[in-house]
Every structure is written in C-alpha cells, then in structure tokens.
Amino acid sequence: MLRLKRCCCGVILVGLLGLLMVGCTVIPAYEQGHLAKPQMQFSDSSALAYESKLVSGLEPGTDTTGGASASGCTACQ
Amino acid sequence: MKRVMKYGYIIAGLLGASVLWGQMLEMSSEWLEAEDVRLMTGSVSGKMELSEGLELRTEWAFNSIDFDYRPDPIDFSQMGGERNEENQAVSLRLRKELGKWRIEGTGTYYRGYRSLSDAWLDEFYGQKYGANVLPGVHYEVIEPRGYGGTVSTRWEYLKSTGYVSLGLGMIQDRVAPSYEIDDLLTSFELVRGDQHLSTLLAHLTFENVVTKRIRVRHAFSLTDTSTRDVRLGWTGDLLIALGDDWFVRTSGSYNEEGTTFISRAISQSVEYSIGGGWSIGVRGRYYEDTGQIETALASSAAPALITRELSATVRWISEGERWQLMLSGGSYRTRYDPIGLGTAEFVHLYADRNWTLVRSAVTYTF
C-alpha cells in the first residue's frame, strides 16, 4: 500500500516536473527520432494499446466507457 | 466461433467497405476467462478520409458475457445455471485537422449488458423478485442500451512537443435497475432503483515532449452521473526511450467519487525491439479501490478490490508501419475484501478469481 502510494507519487512528480520543463525549449525534428517510434507515442491503434478493455470493465475505478458502468455502481442504488 | 459466424455478415461488410473506401482497417479481440466466467470482446474498425484533413472512423464491437450463475447456498429460492449475454456497439468519429488545431466529434450507441456484474445482478433480481408476489413495483425484463457523444479540440501550442486538449461529452444509459424490499413499518413493498442515468463528462489533457527521449501525458477528468457524486480522475503516462531498442512506459491513475470511493492503479511495461520490426515486452499492473459506494442497507455494492496483472506481448510493425500486429497473454487476479452482511447474497459475484487474459490486434493501413 505504502509502496503503491510512493510509486503513484513518483509518477505524478516526474510527470508534473515534465510539464513544468516544457515551454523552455522545442526539440528540433531531427532530434525526435526516438519519439517518433510507435512505442513512444499515444496511439489509438489497438495493436499499440497497452490497457485491456475487459479488465477495465471489472474494475469500477478504471472503467473507460464512462456513463453508468464507470460511476462506481449501477445497480446498488 | 458461433458468434463469429453469427456476426460474419457485419464483419464481412465492414471489411469490404474498408477495403473499397478505407485507408485503415483494424481488427482486435480480447478474451478473459476464469473457472466460472468467460468474457470476450471483438471489434472491427475502419478509417477513411472524406476530404483534405477530414477523417471518418467507424467501429463495430461486440462483447459476450458467459457465466455460471451460482446463488448464495442458503438461498433456496434461487437456482444455478448458465447465462449468456451479448452486447453490440457502434461508434463514429469525425476528425478535422486545421493547422495547429484538431476538432473531433464522436457518437456511440450500444445495446446489451456492459459488464459481468450488471448481467449477474439482473439474474439475481429476476430470480428473487420475478414471481412478482410482493406489493410495490414489479420486476421488469429490460434490455440495457445507451448512446453518447463527445466533442473535443486539441491545440498544438509547441510544434510536435506540446499539446493540450479539452473535451466535453454526455451519455444516456438505460440500465437494468436494482430492487430492494422497503420496510414501511406495517408492511413491506418492492422498490426499484433508477433505470435512466444521465452522465456529463469533461476532460483536460496535456501531452508534452520533455527531452528527446521522454514524453509525458496528464489527463484530468470529471464525470457527473445522475444520482451519484461527481467523480474526479487523473491519469498520467511517462514514456522513456532508454536506448535505441529499449522502451519503458509507466502509467498511474487516481479516481475519487464523493468522499467514500477512491481507486488507484499503476502499471509498468518494458519493451525491447529485437529487429525486423519485432518487439517483445512484459507488463505488470496493480489496482486497488476502496469498494463501491453503498447507498442502501442491503446493497450489491462491490467490496474493496485489489487486482494484479502480469502479461507478455509480442508486436510486429512492418517498415512504414503499414502492418501492425500484436499478441499478448498473461494472468489477471481479482481479490475482494470479505463481504459484509448487507452483501452476503452476492458472495459468488464478488468471489476471488484467477483469470487468463489473451489480446490480439491487427491493423493495416492502405
């Protein structure tokens, strides 16, 4: 539990730090070779998807469909 | 296989249309199976350019939910048995590129149960109250369905390195409701939960290139569903190219609904390019929540849940990225907290399970 919290905090901190760092410099196109690789992009291609749709349906906190099924509970009101 | 045959004409139609007019064709499937439950989903989607900068993406998806219904052993009024449910969904996405701006609209319609718990609970209520012997409302057989739409815009405020997007959406769901016996002091009557749910969604996403090897994304979301507290969420992704062939992806998420429901997840994947377009990777993921929100004494709300996923993936991407193939397999475990007195009847729904997860996808760009 504590480890998970630390990991989450780490991700948030690194991410936010990244957010703050941008704006200072623009990476020129010729230096974006690594960033152009499929593994380094946020793609909507299913072949490059990392998250399972079915798994998210079993976890009320990560349901990506929105609406009823992502609202904590649909039938317990 | 029976289902593939049953929907073969839809799949064939979409494949044909995509080949004739499309620019991209994609098929994907997922299979998740435990001892007493089998979940499956498949989709076919195509993309075509209607005019310069205007793109249409269509998708048809079907899901199946098969499970052995096992009631509480001390409830002699219910019978066990198999139940099979199917769900179909269609969606359209229109996207327009306008220089540094991108404008997008989506629409979705679905019919059928969307999750195992929805179908399981309907079986439970149908057997328990289907005889309609109690005063009050009667149990109704309902086919869940819903539709929704979103509009969003993305602004590239730094060329190829900084993006911000904002989206708004709404969803209307007709769900199979819950039932409860209401104590009126001198008598009892059956009452029914809401059948219609309205949801408003909003998201704000930042995507940034930090260095020539690091890309990050933060997404903040707000979900407001009728009769429920507002849900606030954050998802963060950190992508790092460690070398020419090593890639790591760390993701985290946090969601909060009211003051009682909190969920957290973190995942880590490592991928290695072995050459020729092939890559192999492993991924681990951990999720936990505090349990669903109970709003009644006898409630079907799920207890606190912890899940763990470990999977391996093989990908092949052809030169020019015309073909993209992915095959992934692994294990997924769900562990619930002990259920309370109010949820004792749902002991088999919220049982710990060891699942096998298989995913596959193929994308072809014309």
Side-chain angles (χ1 to χ4, degrees):
Chain A
M1 181 69 182
L2 193 63
R3 241 181 351 191
L4 179 74
K5 277 183 183 169
R6 282 181 185 158
C7 285
C8 280
C9 288
V11 172
I12 294 169
L13 282 175
V14 171
L16 289 178
L17 190 65
L19 206 62
L20 293 173
M21 284 165 67
V22 295
C24 304
T25 53
V26 174
I27 314 289
Y30 63 87
E31 285 194 346
Q32 293 190 21
H34 289 105
L35 298 164
K37 292 187 176 176
Q39 292 92 339
M40 286 296 292
Q41 294 186 32
F42 298 110
S43 170
D44 56 4
S45 164
S46 295
L48 296 170
Y50 287 76
E51 301 286 339
S52 158
K53 294 173 194 168
L54 290 175
V55 161
S56 67
L58 293 172
E59 299 169 352
T62 55
D63 197 307
T64 53
T65 52
S69 51
S71 297
C73 184
T74 58
C76 59
Q77 297 169 43
Chain B
M1 184 52 78
K2 274 183 190 170
R3 289 196 175 92
V4 173
M5 297 298 285
K6 184 178 170 184
Y7 297 124
Y9 64 97
I10 297 177
I11 296 170
L14 283 166
L15 289 175
S18 297
V19 169
L20 286 174
W21 300 295
Q23 293 184 318
M24 187 277 287
L25 176 65
E26 184 173 281
M27 295 179 75
S28 69
S29 66
E30 282 189 30
W31 179 62
L32 186 62
E33 182 160 346
E35 190 186 346
D36 56 339
V37 184
R38 182 190 299 133
L39 308 174
M40 205 167 65
T41 184
S43 68
V44 181
S45 60
K47 201 157 56 175
M48 60 189 82
E49 192 166 319
L50 301 176
S51 63
E52 196 180 338
L54 182 63
E55 173 195 285
L56 174 69
R57 183 184 172 117
T58 57
E59 182 178 275
W60 170 81
F62 89 93
N63 300 281
S64 74
I65 302 167
D66 301 333
F67 59 96
D68 293 330
Y69 178 74
R70 285 184 290 167
D72 185 1
I74 58 166
D75 186 349
F76 299 108
S77 67
Q78 300 210 28
M79 290 167 57
E82 284 186 14
R83 177 152 172 174
N84 316 105
E85 287 293 338
E86 289 176 7
N87 162 303
Q88 290 190 65
V90 288
S91 63
L92 295 172
R93 185 187 76 189
L94 211 52
R95 177 183 280 178
K96 177 73 177 170
E97 300 283 354
L98 295 163
K100 291 182 174 181
W101 291 85
R102 171 190 286 174
I103 299 167
E104 199 172 284
T106 64
T108 305
Y109 175 79
Y110 75 88
R111 292 182 78 151
Y113 291 91
R114 303 203 87 181
S115 71
L116 168 66
S117 60
D118 288 354
W120 198 100
L121 289 168
D122 183 65
E123 181 69 28
F124 171 82
Y125 291 123
Q127 288 206 29
K128 197 165 181 78
Y129 304 121
N132 293 327
V133 292
L134 289 164
V137 299
H138 287 179
Y139 169 79
E140 268 184 69
V141 177
I142 283 177
E143 185 179 34
R145 55 180 179 267
Y147 60 90
T150 61
V151 287
S152 63
T153 182
R154 189 182 82 158
W155 176 42
E156 183 185 15
Y157 66 90
L158 279 176
K159 190 169 172 55
S160 305
T161 55
Y163 305 90
V164 57
S165 62
L166 175 69
L168 299 170
M170 54 75 66
I171 299 171
Q172 296 289 325
D173 290 295
R174 188 185 188 210
V175 298
S178 62
Y179 293 84
E180 287 167 21
I181 297 174
D182 200 12
D183 186 352
L184 302 174
L185 297 178
T186 54
S187 62
F188 295 94
E189 71 171 27
L190 191 64
V191 293
R192 184 168 47 215
D194 283 346
Q195 291 180 39
H196 297 276
L197 300 176
S198 298
T199 302
L200 293 174
L201 308 158
H203 76 83
L204 180 64
T205 305
F206 299 92
E207 181 184 330
N208 300 100
V209 169
V210 183
T211 72
K212 57 185 180 182
R213 289 179 184 272
I214 300 177
R215 189 189 292 274
V216 294
R217 182 172 66 180
H218 293 277
F220 302 91
S221 64
L222 182 150
T223 308
D224 185 11
T225 300
S226 54
T227 75
R228 310 215 59 84
D229 287 325
V230 172
R231 173 178 290 202
L232 299 171
W234 163 82
T235 303
D237 299 283
L238 174 66
L239 278 57
I240 304 176
L242 292 179
D244 287 345
D245 303 318
W246 287 92
F247 305 94
V248 296
R249 178 179 293 235
T250 309
S251 301
S253 70
Y254 177 89
N255 283 282
E256 195 176 285
E257 186 172 328
T259 53
T260 49
F261 180 82
I262 292 171
S263 73
R264 304 177 188 92
I266 187 157
S267 68
Q268 179 67 60
S269 67
V270 181
E271 200 161 316
Y272 175 65
S273 292
I274 54 178
W278 290 91
S279 63
I280 51 172
V282 290
R283 178 173 186 265
R285 182 171 177 277
Y286 177 88
Y287 164 91
E288 65 176 24
D289 68 36
T290 53
Q292 290 179 321
I293 300 157
E294 294 193 25
T295 54
L297 285 175
S299 170
S300 60
L305 171 67
I306 289 176
T307 74
R308 292 180 180 87
E309 182 191 333
L310 186 63
S311 57
T313 303
V314 178
R315 256 184 261 274
W316 179 69
I317 299 169
S318 70
E319 207 169 329
E321 297 179 26
R322 175 162 278 195
W323 283 97
Q324 295 178 345
L325 276 75
M326 184 272 289
L327 181 64
S328 174
S331 124
Y332 177 65
R333 294 181 173 200
T334 49
R335 297 289 180 267
Y336 288 97
D337 265 9
I339 54 172
L341 279 178
T343 50
E345 291 173 302
F346 309 104
V347 63
H348 290 302
L349 172 59
Y350 302 125
D352 296 344
R353 290 186 174 90
N354 296 330
W355 306 76
T356 301
L357 172 65
V358 178
R359 299 166 55 223
S360 68
V362 54
T363 303
Y364 179 73
T365 306
F366 295 97

